[in-house]
Amino acid sequence: MEGIWLVSYIVLWIAVAVLAVLCLSLLRLVGQLHERIGPAGAMVIDQGPEIGSRLPALLEVGRLRGKFPLEFPGDRDRLLIFVSPNCEACVRLMKSLIPFSRRYRGELDVLLVSHSSDPDGNERFAADARRGDLPYL
């Protein structure tokens, strides 16, 4: 009987080692997922305009020159993304929006909208948006 107990003891230690490796790989995947999603819980809000509500025909932006047509429904779909220059997740989001807006250029207008009191941050963010051909309001 000693041989069977020795084999079962070795098999159990191998199983423990395999489970430890699996737990470490799962921990790594959870860490990667946490990095990709970021503080999503803080960005979820349940307030805003009703679905299908009409916007005014023109939106006049205070410090920027010009008017940007945002009437609904329009000739093309528009995606308004509200960002802040001081938000780390917004900076990462803008980097992923550049290829997205180029891919759907003929079908969808992607507009970045910000209301921040930091003029330097706004100028920096606007420069990054211009490099990616994204309108920044």
Side-chain angles (χ1 to χ4, degrees), residues 3-22:
I4 293 175
W5 290 112
L6 181 63
V7 170
S8 68
Y9 188 70
I10 291 172
V11 168
L12 284 175
W13 272 109
I14 290 172
V16 166
V18 168
L19 284 174
V21 169
L22 287 175

Side-chain angles (χ1 to χ4, degrees), residues 12 14 22 30 35 48 56 69 78 96 106 113 121 132:
L12 284 175
I14 290 172
L22 287 175
V30 168
E35 277 295 314
R78 289 176 185 88
S96 64
V113 181

Side-chain angles (χ1 to χ4, degrees), residues 53-60 67-74 78:
S53 63
R54 292 198 164 275
L55 291 174
L58 294 175
L59 174 68
E60 195 169 327
K67 296 181 178 184
F68 299 91
L70 293 177
E71 55 193 12
F72 177 80
R78 289 176 185 88

Side-chain angles (χ1 to χ4, degrees), residues 74-85:
D75 54 346
R76 290 184 358 183
D77 291 333
R78 289 176 185 88
L79 177 62
L80 299 178
I81 300 175
F82 295 90
V83 295
S84 173

Side-chain angles (χ1 to χ4, degrees), residues 84-102:
S84 173
N86 303 327
C87 173
E88 179 81 21
C90 298
V91 172
R92 284 186 280 160
L93 176 68
M94 189 179 69
K95 291 178 184 175
S96 64
L97 279 175
I98 292 170
F100 175 80
S101 68
R102 288 180 181 155

